[in-house]
Amino acid sequence: MQPPPNRADKPDFPWWLLAAGGIALFLAVQIVLNDLYSQIFSIVSKGVGITIFVTLTGFALATAIGLVLAVMGLSRFLVLRQIARFYVEIIRGIPILVLLFYIAFVGAPGFVAAWNFLVAPLIDRGLVEPMSVRDVSLLWRAIIALTIGYSAFIAEVFRAGILSVDAGQVEAAKALGLSPVQRFRFIVLPQAIRTILPPLGNDFIAMIKDSSLVSVLGVADLTQMGKVYASGSFRFFETYSIVAYVYLLLTVGLSLGLRALEKRLRRSDEERGASRN
């Protein structure tokens, strides 16, 4: 009796991608030929730059903070481990939208009050101007909120990747006299990055979508531009179809790129394993 064929060896033809490409082509034609769709696209696309800026800046900061939190969580010092665990568990339990409101309307005023209190002697002497809440732009409040929210999730990604590295290699590096920083830089991180990249890419795509939440603060991103146009023209179907279209171009394109990168990394690992054997 023959064993059933392994579906993993013969991946399905991407009919979904063909259908999505057809819809994307149809909308692209509408944008080119239809004056209404063309006008909506030209207005909505003005917010793409803000969406990309918010995503790239927030993700870069969240990745840096997440790496620090992951190292703290794996530290031999109990205090550092508990601080990291407290931060990760608390932040992961708060919805991004709630965190956005909290940072914007509680955190920013609190920061301004603390700053003015610390530099009060300089303000009294006229050396420094007092800061007002308006000095902290809504754009940066949104970026900080996304940074804090995603740093907790990225910290767990880094922690899992670091723990996936064979402990024997770390012990061997220790036996060779490498310092903890050198072990992490030359042994742990290069191997962990292969495990980290796929979920890190997924978090990046998720942040592109969650960046739409900054529109609740009036930040002129892609969603906000669409919301303003739709509320004035009452062309809700056409406007939000274009908004969804642009988001899908960003997210699906990145998703396909990440899948190609994963396959390439997997193939290189298999070739490396075969050469060792």
Side-chain angles (χ1 to χ4, degrees), residues 14-32 37 41 237-238 240-249 252:
W15 293 107
W16 69 270
L17 183 59
L18 191 63
I23 296 173
L25 182 61
F26 173 78
L27 284 174
V29 171
Q30 293 298 315
I31 291 170
V32 173
Y37 278 92
F41 181 79
F237 173 77
E238 294 87 349
Y240 286 114
S241 294
I242 295 297
V243 171
Y245 173 71
V246 176
Y247 273 115
L248 284 171
L249 287 179
V252 174

Side-chain angles (χ1 to χ4, degrees), residues 20 169 236:
Q169 297 191 33
F236 294 100

Side-chain angles (χ1 to χ4, degrees), residues 39-203:
Q39 180 183 12
I40 295 172
F41 181 79
S42 63
I43 293 175
V44 166
S45 60
K46 294 178 182 178
V48 174
I50 294 295
T51 294
I52 293 175
F53 176 76
V54 168
T55 303
L56 291 178
T57 306
F59 191 77
L61 295 173
T63 300
I65 296 174
L67 179 58
V68 173
L69 289 170
V71 174
M72 289 175 58
L74 297 173
S75 171
R76 59 191 178 91
F77 298 106
L78 176 63
V79 174
L80 294 180
R81 293 200 304 271
Q82 292 300 311
I83 291 175
R85 181 50 52 189
F86 175 83
Y87 180 97
V88 169
E89 296 299 335
I90 295 300
I91 297 300
R92 286 201 306 172
I94 302 175
I96 296 294
L97 184 59
V98 175
L99 189 62
L100 193 70
F101 284 134
Y102 194 88
I103 295 298
F105 302 119
V106 179
F111 170 78
V112 170
W115 172 262
N116 289 335
F117 175 78
L118 291 174
V119 299
L122 299 178
I123 294 175
D124 294 338
R125 296 178 184 179
L127 299 176
V128 176
E129 291 292 327
M131 181 183 290
S132 67
V133 177
R134 293 182 179 180
D135 293 331
V136 184
S137 70
L138 291 172
L139 175 63
W140 278 102
R141 298 186 209 184
I143 290 174
I144 292 171
L146 288 174
T147 297
I148 293 174
Y150 270 83
S151 63
F153 293 96
I154 292 176
E156 290 296 278
V157 172
F158 275 113
R159 186 178 69 87
I162 293 171
L163 291 176
S164 68
V165 177
D166 185 11
Q169 297 191 33
V170 179
E171 293 298 326
K174 187 185 298 184
L176 291 174
L178 296 180
S179 66
V181 175
Q182 290 175 326
R183 293 197 298 269
F184 181 79
R185 180 182 175 184
F186 297 112
I187 304 298
V188 176
L189 192 59
Q191 297 184 68
I193 204 70
R194 292 179 176 272
T195 305
I196 290 169
L197 272 180
L200 205 60
N202 292 334
D203 282 338

Side-chain angles (χ1 to χ4, degrees), residues 20 126 140 153 158 166 184 205 222 224 227 262 270-271:
W140 278 102
F153 293 96
F158 275 113
D166 185 11
F184 181 79
I205 293 173
L222 179 59
Q224 176 66 8
K227 184 167 63 175
E262 288 180 39
E270 292 174 355
E271 292 175 355

Side-chain angles (χ1 to χ4, degrees), residues 5-12:
N6 188 356
R7 285 186 172 271
D9 296 335
K10 294 182 179 180
D12 295 334

